[in-house]
Amino acid sequence: MAVIKYSRQREAIKEYLSQTKEHPTADTIYMNIRESYPNISLGTVYRNLNLLVEMGEVLRINGMDGSDRYDGHTQQHYHFLCNKCHKILDLEMESIDHINDTANKDFPGKVEGHVTYFYGKCNECK
Amino acid sequence: MAVIKYSRQREAIKEYLSQTKEHPTADTIYMNIRESYPNISLGTVYRNLNLLVEMGEVLRINGMDGSDRYDGHTQQHYHFLCNKCHKILDLEMESIDHINDTANKDFPGKVEGHVTYFYGKCNECK
DNA sequence: TTTGATGCAAATGTTTTGCATGCAA
DNA sequence: TTGCATGCAAAACATTTGCATCAAA
């Protein structure tokens, strides 16, 4: 089973994601990391993002738009997508984990979690 | 502004989607419609799916997997994704629309809706 | 007759992969 | 020294689009 070795590229990606409030695409991440590591390749960015998502250190947000977006802040929180300017914002809200129980009622399998995002108009667009 | 003309291809897609319980991909839909319309093209399927989604007659489900899936049953319902066999099931559950209000609290913009899907293990995989 | 819809193929955009080389352990 | 990670380029996918032709109104 593959041992995971240190790589400065992966560190740079993690560092960049933990420090930004945006929810960048792989390409945006690539552009940014390139400022410190001009030789990094897009393939490496994708490979590391997949690794980090798998390890639970980064969240992948998809279905918003053509390409996936990534979020380095893994504490439980929800996202808001503006229908007008397509910005993604973090929502500070109380837990809605009880909807798992609602879903589990009368369901023969086992609901373990949910993925939710909210949409509407952001502060500037409303 | 574009008038929408009747097309038997679009009818066939709508009919197929309203009759299946699966949540097929564009390609699966294409394969099926091809049995009655051998000359239909994948481009036409995509064009019509986009149209139907825009008209609200079909739901697009994304973020589950590489490619988007479509659902002809537009009454409000939630989806469940099995982590093991990757099946998508419909959930019969009470409304959780109140989570919009939860999200709206302390949010400067305006939350208009949400997208939610549940995951876990289905009846056969648990 | 007019104009939207289609089929076909080429183009686009995103993500993955094969392979030789580099680097961590 | 071993084998995972990288850079590069090509490949793989999913989806969109240009254009000549077809068909609905």
Side-chain angles (χ1 to χ4, degrees), chain A residues 18-77:
Chain A
S18 72
Q19 154 263 320
T20 183
K21 278 293 203 179
E22 317 282 319
H23 302 80
T25 61
D27 200 68
T28 305
I29 296 169
Y30 170 59
M31 293 306 192
N32 274 275
I33 304 292
R34 213 141 68 127
E35 285 169 22
S36 353
Y37 297 89
N39 290 325
I40 197 174
S41 78
L42 191 50
T44 296
V45 171
Y46 273 106
R47 270 185 291 234
N48 278 306
L49 285 173
N50 285 338
L51 214 61
L52 290 168
V53 168
E54 212 171 304
M55 299 190 302
E57 300 199 27
V58 163
L59 293 176
R60 171 181 284 129
I61 315 172
N62 50 22
M64 305 253 174
D65 190 47
S67 46
D68 289 351
R69 288 161 179 280
Y70 298 87
D71 187 337
H73 305 90
T74 53
Q75 331 86 311
Q76 156 83 304
H77 68 282

Side-chain angles (χ1 to χ4, degrees), chain B residues 53-120:
Chain B
V53 168
E54 213 171 303
M55 300 191 303
E57 301 198 26
V58 163
L59 293 176
R60 171 180 285 128
I61 316 171
N62 49 24
M64 305 253 174
D65 191 47
S67 45
D68 289 350
R69 288 160 179 281
Y70 298 87
D71 187 337
H73 304 90
T74 54
Q75 331 87 310
Q76 155 83 304
H77 67 282
Y78 291 91
H79 290 112
F80 173 86
L81 168 68
C82 179
N83 280 333
K84 216 164 185 180
C85 67
H86 298 118
K87 212 179 309 172
I88 297 180
L89 299 170
D90 289 335
L91 282 176
E92 316 251 342
M93 60 183 278
E94 53 191 74
S95 165
I96 55 169
D97 275 356
H98 63 275
I99 66 175
N100 290 343
D101 304 332
T102 311
N104 243 326
K105 242 184 259 173
D106 301 320
F107 180 65
K110 181 143 186 279
V111 174
E112 290 165 356
H114 65 268
V115 172
T116 295
Y117 66 82
F118 296 87
Y119 57 86

